[in-house]
Amino acid sequence: MFGVAYGPGSLAFVKRNPRILDFIELPFELLRHDPSTASARELLPVVLHCASMSLAGFVPPSAETLQAISKQAELLGTPWIGEHLAFISADPLETGAALHEPTTLTYTVCPQLSEEVVGVVCDNIKTCQTQVDVPLIVENSPQYFRVPGSTMSIVDFVIEVHRRCEVGMLLDLTHFMISSMNAGFDPHEEILRLPLENMVEMHISGLDVQSELAWDNHATLADESIFSLAQTVLRNRSPHAITFEYNWSPDLPDHMFVEQIARLRTMLN
Amino acid sequence: MSGRQVHAVLAAAMADPSLLNSWRHGRDALSDFRIEELELEKMWRFCGLVTKVRHNDLRLELPLTFRLLDDFQLSIEAFAEYSIRAAALRRSGQNSKLAKCLTFTDFLEGWLDASSPPHLFIRDMVRHESAIMQLQTISSDSLVTQEQMNSQSVTLCSTPIHVMGFVFRELGCNPLAVGRTIYSGGDSLSVARSQQFWGYCKQATNASIDIVELDELTFKLLCVIDGSLTLPEIAAALSQSGTVYAAEDLCYPVQELVGLGLLATKNGV
């Protein structure tokens, strides 16, 4: 199955190009803010994506948030919920001159890559899975800076999470490529160490390099480095679904996106 | 190093860019948290990415500005520097799309470097797109039709005034040519640069916005006109800036602008 992440140009692309995609990936946070976005299911089936469970965090989401996620999952009929191996909430700072309330962010942050956090992730996955009636699948974070106290690579962190938890994988190729560029490892070698048999969904998006680091960029199309990495993965395993995260810009050229979909179909065949 | 403590510090920095910035300029405060290894510059740039994502809704109003910021690899740095103002705007509750747009474009005008060609192109697009955005916020109902304007005659005693629905800008390039070049996949830096003057006019009848190139005299006239000066006073003001015209010679260009609906005369006289 091929899908596109919900964004300013996504629905228009789907209408202009019927029968080329199979689903639209909707973010829970947008649904919560604007329930009318659920009307996307009038065009195509919907897969729910989430950035609110803070699976790799020490401060869990509220019961109200988990209930809202569960309700949306049921209303939309999503086959699974994709969530990030990251944190969005943390304890307040209590020492020094900076005193803050418990902090909740609106963007996911790559966690400390350590045994302690692997344990926290596993506990959180178990808890959150009991609250929703569809499988959770977990997405690898991009690494932009070293998190103090990390004792393992992001690849080993992901491997260890999947070794200890029964959970599906949402493999974000662009996040993996970004991590490899910023942390300095070979993406083609390392990606094959992941338990690809757990892969349910794959994400693809653009990236760019600025100020000496690689960055996620959903306003541009994936480049050859991402397609090359896709080839490496798809030679070994195929996911149930591939989502193009082209959801920041309203004016990506149709023909280039259509070509990319065709190219991936060929790789899968 | 406790993952819980590390996450608390990271989240506090991400939630409050001014706190992160204070750490960048003086690491002493960090000693309270006993975390020595923070990659503060990379975290600062990540703050830029987060701020950029928070402003994705402005891409519809500022598509060329966003595009050039990315093409010239400046978006992360720009949004990092903007993050403190953006956070202050959110805290103030005045976070409408228009407020975000105006604050961001105002920031860019001050941040962009007039000695750098890529920065100059971005500045031109900011001015171009903010002019269009400004007109889009004006209701067509409040605009006077051209037929109503055409009836006004200009004499030496006339006091020209600006009309709602018309703004003008001095740019260094043809913004329409930049747009065409970008969307055809060309190099925006290849667009010729020269001092140019552009007018943006919202039609009362159909709310469309006409974009026209102006000549230098017209631009200078428009800059001097402040709703209180008669034609002789306008001629005197122009002379002081080196543009010498007799007051009688200004009747025709001002009449033309009135006829086009780009100016009016006070009390119709």
Side-chain angles (χ1 to χ4, degrees), chain B residues 42-73:
Chain B
K42 291 180 181 177
M43 286 171 62
W44 179 244
R45 290 176 209 141
F46 178 61
C47 208
L49 176 67
V50 173
T51 305
K52 178 179 163 183
V53 172
R54 281 184 191 272
H55 287 72
N56 272 336
D57 55 336
L58 302 189
R59 285 180 185 268
L60 286 170
E61 273 71 31
L62 306 172
L64 296 175
T65 301
F66 269 77
R67 181 66 182 267
L68 287 184
L69 280 169
D70 271 344
D71 285 357
F72 296 142
Q73 300 180 340

mmCIF file of all heavy atoms in Angstrom, chain B residues 42-73:
data_model
loop_
_atom_site.group_PDB
_atom_site.id
_atom_site.type_symbol
_atom_site.label_atom_id
_atom_site.label_comp_id
_atom_site.label_asym_id
_atom_site.label_seq_id
_atom_site.Cartn_x
_atom_site.Cartn_y
_atom_site.Cartn_z
ATOM 1 N N LYS B 42 24.188 22.708 18.393
ATOM 2 C CA LYS B 42 23.325 21.799 17.631
ATOM 3 C C LYS B 42 21.903 21.856 18.181
ATOM 4 O O LYS B 42 20.934 21.802 17.419
ATOM 5 C CB LYS B 42 23.863 20.374 17.678
ATOM 6 C CG LYS B 42 25.165 20.199 16.899
ATOM 7 C CD LYS B 42 25.671 18.779 16.957
ATOM 8 C CE LYS B 42 26.979 18.655 16.189
ATOM 9 N NZ LYS B 42 27.553 17.289 16.286
ATOM 10 N N MET B 43 21.769 21.975 19.486
ATOM 11 C CA MET B 43 20.438 22.094 20.079
ATOM 12 C C MET B 43 19.771 23.392 19.625
ATOM 13 O O MET B 43 18.561 23.431 19.376
ATOM 14 C CB MET B 43 20.531 22.069 21.607
ATOM 15 C CG MET B 43 20.826 20.695 22.182
ATOM 16 S SD MET B 43 21.175 20.724 23.935
ATOM 17 C CE MET B 43 19.639 21.341 24.615
ATOM 18 N N TRP B 44 20.569 24.447 19.524
ATOM 19 C CA TRP B 44 20.047 25.729 19.059
ATOM 20 C C TRP B 44 19.497 25.610 17.642
ATOM 21 O O TRP B 44 18.428 26.121 17.316
ATOM 22 C CB TRP B 44 21.163 26.774 19.147
ATOM 23 C CG TRP B 44 20.803 28.152 18.687
ATOM 24 C CD1 TRP B 44 21.335 28.827 17.626
ATOM 25 C CD2 TRP B 44 19.860 29.054 19.269
ATOM 26 N NE1 TRP B 44 20.769 30.073 17.505
ATOM 27 C CE2 TRP B 44 19.861 30.241 18.511
ATOM 28 C CE3 TRP B 44 18.995 28.973 20.368
ATOM 29 C CZ2 TRP B 44 19.054 31.337 18.813
ATOM 30 C CZ3 TRP B 44 18.188 30.064 20.662
ATOM 31 C CH2 TRP B 44 18.226 31.223 19.892
ATOM 32 N N ARG B 45 20.230 24.896 16.806
ATOM 33 C CA ARG B 45 19.758 24.715 15.425
ATOM 34 C C ARG B 45 18.524 23.810 15.389
ATOM 35 O O ARG B 45 17.619 24.018 14.578
ATOM 36 C CB ARG B 45 20.868 24.125 14.565
ATOM 37 C CG ARG B 45 21.985 25.125 14.320
ATOM 38 C CD ARG B 45 23.135 24.527 13.559
ATOM 39 N NE ARG B 45 24.368 25.196 13.904
ATOM 40 C CZ ARG B 45 25.527 24.594 14.054
ATOM 41 N NH1 ARG B 45 25.636 23.290 13.897
ATOM 42 N NH2 ARG B 45 26.604 25.280 14.369
ATOM 43 N N PHE B 46 18.462 22.816 16.250
ATOM 44 C CA PHE B 46 17.266 21.971 16.347
ATOM 45 C C PHE B 46 16.066 22.828 16.735
ATOM 46 O O PHE B 46 14.956 22.640 16.230
ATOM 47 C CB PHE B 46 17.487 20.844 17.363
ATOM 48 C CG PHE B 46 16.281 19.965 17.563
ATOM 49 C CD1 PHE B 46 15.744 19.233 16.514
ATOM 50 C CD2 PHE B 46 15.674 19.872 18.807
ATOM 51 C CE1 PHE B 46 14.629 18.416 16.700
ATOM 52 C CE2 PHE B 46 14.564 19.050 18.992
ATOM 53 C CZ PHE B 46 14.044 18.329 17.950
ATOM 54 N N CYS B 47 16.310 23.787 17.611
ATOM 55 C CA CYS B 47 15.277 24.754 17.978
ATOM 56 C C CYS B 47 14.791 25.479 16.718
ATOM 57 O O CYS B 47 13.606 25.791 16.578
ATOM 58 C CB CYS B 47 15.886 25.754 18.958
ATOM 59 S SG CYS B 47 14.703 26.465 20.066
ATOM 60 N N GLY B 48 15.725 25.752 15.800
ATOM 61 C CA GLY B 48 15.360 26.372 14.528
ATOM 62 C C GLY B 48 14.449 25.473 13.713
ATOM 63 O O GLY B 48 13.456 25.924 13.132
ATOM 64 N N LEU B 49 14.749 24.178 13.678
ATOM 65 C CA LEU B 49 13.902 23.241 12.942
ATOM 66 C C LEU B 49 12.503 23.206 13.543
ATOM 67 O O LEU B 49 11.496 23.255 12.836
ATOM 68 C CB LEU B 49 14.508 21.833 12.964
ATOM 69 C CG LEU B 49 13.649 20.750 12.308
ATOM 70 C CD1 LEU B 49 13.525 20.962 10.808
ATOM 71 C CD2 LEU B 49 14.198 19.350 12.591
ATOM 72 N N VAL B 50 12.434 23.143 14.865
ATOM 73 C CA VAL B 50 11.136 23.084 15.537
ATOM 74 C C VAL B 50 10.327 24.353 15.247
ATOM 75 O O VAL B 50 9.129 24.281 14.951
ATOM 76 C CB VAL B 50 11.334 22.911 17.065
ATOM 77 C CG1 VAL B 50 10.004 23.022 17.796
ATOM 78 C CG2 VAL B 50 11.994 21.577 17.366
ATOM 79 N N THR B 51 10.982 25.501 15.295
ATOM 80 C CA THR B 51 10.298 26.769 15.016
ATOM 81 C C THR B 51 9.834 26.807 13.561
ATOM 82 O O THR B 51 8.734 27.272 13.249
ATOM 83 C CB THR B 51 11.238 27.957 15.316
ATOM 84 O OG1 THR B 51 11.709 27.838 16.653
ATOM 85 C CG2 THR B 51 10.512 29.293 15.165
ATOM 86 N N LYS B 52 10.672 26.314 12.670
ATOM 87 C CA LYS B 52 10.311 26.259 11.247
ATOM 88 C C LYS B 52 9.048 25.404 11.051
ATOM 89 O O LYS B 52 8.120 25.807 10.341
ATOM 90 C CB LYS B 52 11.486 25.664 10.472
ATOM 91 C CG LYS B 52 11.275 25.496 8.977
ATOM 92 C CD LYS B 52 12.552 24.927 8.363
ATOM 93 C CE LYS B 52 12.310 24.359 6.993
ATOM 94 N NZ LYS B 52 13.538 23.755 6.427
ATOM 95 N N VAL B 53 9.009 24.250 11.701
ATOM 96 C CA VAL B 53 7.841 23.372 11.555
ATOM 97 C C VAL B 53 6.583 24.063 12.110
ATOM 98 O O VAL B 53 5.497 23.971 11.536
ATOM 99 C CB VAL B 53 8.086 22.024 12.256
ATOM 100 C CG1 VAL B 53 6.819 21.182 12.272
ATOM 101 C CG2 VAL B 53 9.208 21.273 11.564
ATOM 102 N N ARG B 54 6.751 24.777 13.221
ATOM 103 C CA ARG B 54 5.614 25.513 13.811
ATOM 104 C C ARG B 54 5.074 26.584 12.861
ATOM 105 O O ARG B 54 3.943 27.044 13.021
ATOM 106 C CB ARG B 54 6.043 26.240 15.080
ATOM 107 C CG ARG B 54 6.160 25.420 16.331
ATOM 108 C CD ARG B 54 6.489 26.398 17.460
ATOM 109 N NE ARG B 54 6.877 25.742 18.681
ATOM 110 C CZ ARG B 54 6.048 25.347 19.628
ATOM 111 N NH1 ARG B 54 4.769 25.526 19.482
ATOM 112 N NH2 ARG B 54 6.491 24.773 20.723
ATOM 113 N N HIS B 55 5.907 27.001 11.900
ATOM 114 C CA HIS B 55 5.505 28.067 10.978
ATOM 115 C C HIS B 55 5.172 27.546 9.589
ATOM 116 O O HIS B 55 5.068 28.325 8.634
ATOM 117 C CB HIS B 55 6.601 29.148 10.918
ATOM 118 C CG HIS B 55 6.672 29.987 12.142
ATOM 119 N ND1 HIS B 55 7.168 29.505 13.332
ATOM 120 C CD2 HIS B 55 6.266 31.255 12.387
ATOM 121 C CE1 HIS B 55 7.079 30.461 14.263
ATOM 122 N NE2 HIS B 55 6.527 31.520 13.715
ATOM 123 N N ASN B 56 4.976 26.244 9.477
ATOM 124 C CA ASN B 56 4.602 25.665 8.186
ATOM 125 C C ASN B 56 3.317 26.274 7.636
ATOM 126 O O ASN B 56 3.118 26.329 6.431
ATOM 127 C CB ASN B 56 4.452 24.148 8.300
ATOM 128 C CG ASN B 56 5.751 23.416 8.060
ATOM 129 O OD1 ASN B 56 6.656 23.929 7.404
ATOM 130 N ND2 ASN B 56 5.860 22.216 8.591
ATOM 131 N N ASP B 57 2.451 26.746 8.544
ATOM 132 C CA ASP B 57 1.183 27.317 8.063
ATOM 133 C C ASP B 57 1.405 28.618 7.278
ATOM 134 O O ASP B 57 0.530 29.056 6.538
ATOM 135 C CB ASP B 57 0.216 27.560 9.225
ATOM 136 C CG ASP B 57 0.797 28.425 10.332
ATOM 137 O OD1 ASP B 57 2.040 28.465 10.456
ATOM 138 O OD2 ASP B 57 0.030 29.049 11.074
ATOM 139 N N LEU B 58 2.580 29.222 7.412
ATOM 140 C CA LEU B 58 2.866 30.450 6.672
ATOM 141 C C LEU B 58 3.360 30.174 5.244
ATOM 142 O O LEU B 58 3.521 31.108 4.457
ATOM 143 C CB LEU B 58 3.927 31.289 7.401
ATOM 144 C CG LEU B 58 3.604 31.707 8.835
ATOM 145 C CD1 LEU B 58 4.640 32.716 9.320
ATOM 146 C CD2 LEU B 58 2.210 32.299 8.936
ATOM 147 N N ARG B 59 3.585 28.918 4.918
ATOM 148 C CA ARG B 59 4.088 28.596 3.574
ATOM 149 C C ARG B 59 3.091 28.993 2.490
ATOM 150 O O ARG B 59 3.475 29.287 1.371
ATOM 151 C CB ARG B 59 4.390 27.099 3.456
ATOM 152 C CG ARG B 59 5.668 26.668 4.156
ATOM 153 C CD ARG B 59 5.894 25.169 3.998
ATOM 154 N NE ARG B 59 7.040 24.737 4.759
ATOM 155 C CZ ARG B 59 8.275 24.660 4.269
ATOM 156 N NH1 ARG B 59 8.517 24.986 3.015
ATOM 157 N NH2 ARG B 59 9.278 24.256 5.028
ATOM 158 N N LEU B 60 1.797 28.995 2.840
ATOM 159 C CA LEU B 60 0.790 29.378 1.844
ATOM 160 C C LEU B 60 0.889 30.862 1.526
ATOM 161 O O LEU B 60 0.631 31.281 0.402
ATOM 162 C CB LEU B 60 -0.606 29.047 2.366
ATOM 163 C CG LEU B 60 -0.952 27.560 2.367
ATOM 164 C CD1 LEU B 60 -2.252 27.303 3.113
ATOM 165 C CD2 LEU B 60 -1.055 27.027 0.944
ATOM 166 N N GLU B 61 1.248 31.664 2.540
ATOM 167 C CA GLU B 61 1.351 33.115 2.331
ATOM 168 C C GLU B 61 2.723 33.523 1.834
ATOM 169 O O GLU B 61 2.874 34.512 1.127
ATOM 170 C CB GLU B 61 1.085 33.857 3.661
ATOM 171 C CG GLU B 61 -0.385 34.139 3.926
ATOM 172 C CD GLU B 61 -1.133 32.877 4.258
ATOM 173 O OE1 GLU B 61 -0.526 31.962 4.836
ATOM 174 O OE2 GLU B 61 -2.324 32.797 3.941
ATOM 175 N N LEU B 62 3.757 32.762 2.221
ATOM 176 C CA LEU B 62 5.145 33.138 1.896
ATOM 177 C C LEU B 62 5.870 31.997 1.169
ATOM 178 O O LEU B 62 6.975 31.600 1.560
ATOM 179 C CB LEU B 62 5.905 33.476 3.196
ATOM 180 C CG LEU B 62 5.278 34.525 4.129
ATOM 181 C CD1 LEU B 62 6.042 34.589 5.452
ATOM 182 C CD2 LEU B 62 5.270 35.895 3.458
ATOM 183 N N PRO B 63 5.286 31.459 0.086
ATOM 184 C CA PRO B 63 5.897 30.275 -0.536
ATOM 185 C C PRO B 63 7.292 30.520 -1.089
ATOM 186 O O PRO B 63 8.177 29.663 -0.922
ATOM 187 C CB PRO B 63 4.916 29.917 -1.667
ATOM 188 C CG PRO B 63 4.169 31.188 -1.945
ATOM 189 C CD PRO B 63 4.098 31.920 -0.637
ATOM 190 N N LEU B 64 7.510 31.655 -1.720
ATOM 191 C CA LEU B 64 8.825 31.911 -2.318
ATOM 192 C C LEU B 64 9.854 32.227 -1.242
ATOM 193 O O LEU B 64 11.022 31.841 -1.355
ATOM 194 C CB LEU B 64 8.739 33.060 -3.333
ATOM 195 C CG LEU B 64 7.858 32.783 -4.547
ATOM 196 C CD1 LEU B 64 7.737 34.019 -5.424
ATOM 197 C CD2 LEU B 64 8.414 31.617 -5.363
ATOM 198 N N THR B 65 9.433 32.897 -0.194
ATOM 199 C CA THR B 65 10.340 33.197 0.917
ATOM 200 C C THR B 65 10.839 31.900 1.551
ATOM 201 O O THR B 65 12.040 31.706 1.747
ATOM 202 C CB THR B 65 9.639 34.057 1.990
ATOM 203 O OG1 THR B 65 9.185 35.271 1.387
ATOM 204 C CG2 THR B 65 10.569 34.376 3.135
ATOM 205 N N PHE B 66 9.906 30.999 1.836
ATOM 206 C CA PHE B 66 10.290 29.711 2.429
ATOM 207 C C PHE B 66 11.183 28.927 1.468
ATOM 208 O O PHE B 66 12.167 28.305 1.879
ATOM 209 C CB PHE B 66 9.048 28.880 2.757
ATOM 210 C CG PHE B 66 8.513 29.101 4.145
ATOM 211 C CD1 PHE B 66 7.779 30.230 4.438
ATOM 212 C CD2 PHE B 66 8.748 28.181 5.157
ATOM 213 C CE1 PHE B 66 7.277 30.445 5.715
ATOM 214 C CE2 PHE B 66 8.243 28.387 6.440
ATOM 215 C CZ PHE B 66 7.509 29.525 6.720
ATOM 216 N N ARG B 67 10.821 28.963 0.215
ATOM 217 C CA ARG B 67 11.572 28.196 -0.766
ATOM 218 C C ARG B 67 13.009 28.693 -0.860
ATOM 219 O O ARG B 67 13.959 27.910 -0.870
ATOM 220 C CB ARG B 67 10.847 28.295 -2.108
ATOM 221 C CG ARG B 67 11.469 27.535 -3.228
ATOM 222 C CD ARG B 67 11.439 26.027 -3.042
ATOM 223 N NE ARG B 67 12.117 25.406 -4.153
ATOM 224 C CZ ARG B 67 11.505 24.986 -5.261
ATOM 225 N NH1 ARG B 67 10.195 25.100 -5.377
ATOM 226 N NH2 ARG B 67 12.201 24.463 -6.232
ATOM 227 N N LEU B 68 13.176 29.999 -0.902
ATOM 228 C CA LEU B 68 14.535 30.540 -0.999
ATOM 229 C C LEU B 68 15.327 30.320 0.289
ATOM 230 O O LEU B 68 16.530 30.070 0.246
ATOM 231 C CB LEU B 68 14.502 32.028 -1.352
ATOM 232 C CG LEU B 68 14.105 32.364 -2.794
ATOM 233 C CD1 LEU B 68 14.209 33.854 -3.043
ATOM 234 C CD2 LEU B 68 14.971 31.614 -3.796
ATOM 235 N N LEU B 69 14.660 30.420 1.424
ATOM 236 C CA LEU B 69 15.366 30.145 2.687
ATOM 237 C C LEU B 69 15.944 28.728 2.678
ATOM 238 O O LEU B 69 17.052 28.499 3.143
ATOM 239 C CB LEU B 69 14.415 30.315 3.876
ATOM 240 C CG LEU B 69 14.166 31.746 4.348
ATOM 241 C CD1 LEU B 69 13.006 31.798 5.347
ATOM 242 C CD2 LEU B 69 15.412 32.365 4.975
ATOM 243 N N ASP B 70 15.171 27.779 2.131
ATOM 244 C CA ASP B 70 15.673 26.406 2.050
ATOM 245 C C ASP B 70 16.734 26.284 0.958
ATOM 246 O O ASP B 70 17.788 25.683 1.175
ATOM 247 C CB ASP B 70 14.521 25.433 1.755
ATOM 248 C CG ASP B 70 13.850 24.924 3.022
ATOM 249 O OD1 ASP B 70 14.448 25.062 4.109
ATOM 250 O OD2 ASP B 70 12.725 24.391 2.934
ATOM 251 N N ASP B 71 16.447 26.835 -0.222
ATOM 252 C CA ASP B 71 17.387 26.689 -1.341
ATOM 253 C C ASP B 71 18.761 27.262 -0.998
ATOM 254 O O ASP B 71 19.790 26.736 -1.422
ATOM 255 C CB ASP B 71 16.859 27.404 -2.594
ATOM 256 C CG ASP B 71 15.725 26.626 -3.264
ATOM 257 O OD1 ASP B 71 15.406 25.515 -2.789
ATOM 258 O OD2 ASP B 71 15.153 27.135 -4.239
ATOM 259 N N PHE B 72 18.768 28.366 -0.243
ATOM 260 C CA PHE B 72 20.041 28.994 0.128
ATOM 261 C C PHE B 72 20.563 28.477 1.472
ATOM 262 O O PHE B 72 21.482 29.049 2.049
ATOM 263 C CB PHE B 72 19.895 30.522 0.176
ATOM 264 C CG PHE B 72 19.577 31.151 -1.156
ATOM 265 C CD1 PHE B 72 18.706 32.224 -1.252
ATOM 266 C CD2 PHE B 72 20.157 30.665 -2.324
ATOM 267 C CE1 PHE B 72 18.417 32.810 -2.485
ATOM 268 C CE2 PHE B 72 19.870 31.244 -3.562
ATOM 269 C CZ PHE B 72 18.995 32.311 -3.631
ATOM 270 N N GLN B 73 19.959 27.410 1.982
ATOM 271 C CA GLN B 73 20.397 26.750 3.223
ATOM 272 C C GLN B 73 20.457 27.725 4.393
ATOM 273 O O GLN B 73 21.417 27.718 5.173
ATOM 274 C CB GLN B 73 21.759 26.072 3.000
ATOM 275 C CG GLN B 73 21.679 25.028 1.891
ATOM 276 C CD GLN B 73 22.988 24.339 1.622
ATOM 277 O OE1 GLN B 73 24.057 24.829 1.968
ATOM 278 N NE2 GLN B 73 22.911 23.164 1.020
#
